[in-house]
Amino acid sequence: MIVDGEHTFPGPRQTVWDLLQDPEVLSKAMPGARKLHLTGDGTYEGVIRIGVGPVTAAEWSLNVALKDRVEPESYVMQVDSKGALGFTRGNATVNLNEVEGGTRMRYHADLSVGGKVAGVGQRLLDQVAKMLTKQGLDALNKELEARLRDGGAR
């Protein structure tokens, strides 16, 4: 499953970069996240709870590693999640570019989905992925706006 697109944040690139490295912010930006903990340099573990169509919500373990980081420009995110209903794993490339009025994020993810959750069909999985991506970007926007309003402190 491919998920790609772009989003412009109304703030400086370094601030956006910092948000994307903060486990507290990432857990807010990941719909269904129950917890997310920094376990090492650019590595995180957590638990998420997501349902897809007729597959009821279940908890999944989540491991995320940020690789090939070039601050504040880009990184590759490796994702591996597992639960009783299946798994997802794959990579996402994130690029941040300064643009007039903010920072443009371009993202491209290539994810494999397996188990019962894959049985709901590609079309539904694509719709859910787009919805979750939008929710995550909206949450990041809210956090960015709060930090900028508070003078960058948090």
Side-chain angles (χ1 to χ4, degrees):
M1 171 174 55
I2 303 293
V3 179
D4 64 356
E6 63 181 46
H7 181 81
T8 301
F9 293 98
R13 183 166 68 166
Q14 184 65 51
T15 304
V16 173
W17 172 271
D18 293 343
L19 282 175
L20 295 172
Q21 311 300 308
D22 184 335
E24 183 178 321
V25 173
L26 290 177
S27 67
K28 291 178 186 176
M30 297 176 73
R34 296 289 183 236
K35 59 184 171 182
L36 189 65
H37 301 287
L38 183 66
T39 58
D41 185 26
T43 59
Y44 307 85
E45 289 181 357
V47 175
I48 59 173
R49 184 174 174 89
I50 297 177
V52 179
V55 178
T56 58
E59 287 195 351
W60 301 50
S61 65
L62 174 67
N63 292 295
V64 176
L66 305 183
K67 305 281 186 179
D68 303 327
R69 291 184 289 176
V70 179
E71 185 176 345
E73 297 173 16
S74 63
Y75 61 87
V76 174
M77 177 186 291
Q78 295 175 332
V79 177
D80 183 19
S81 66
K82 298 175 215 169
L85 301 177
F87 69 87
T88 57
R89 70 176 60 100
N91 294 314
T93 303
V94 175
N95 292 290
L96 300 174
N97 296 298
E98 293 177 349
V99 295
E100 187 173 331
T103 301
R104 178 171 296 132
M105 171 200 281
R106 293 183 185 197
Y107 54 90
H108 178 85
D110 187 355
L111 302 169
S112 297
V113 180
K116 288 182 182 179
V117 73
V120 301
Q122 191 62 44
R123 180 184 235 166
L124 181 56
L125 288 174
D126 288 343
Q127 290 173 344
V128 169
K130 287 178 184 176
M131 178 192 69
L132 294 177
T133 300
K134 182 181 180 328
Q135 288 176 3
L137 291 170
D138 289 346
L140 285 170
N141 255 347
K142 287 179 184 173
E143 186 66 25
L144 174 63
E145 290 168 358
R147 286 191 182 197
L148 294 173
R149 197 172 42 250
D150 295 345
R154 267 211 189 181

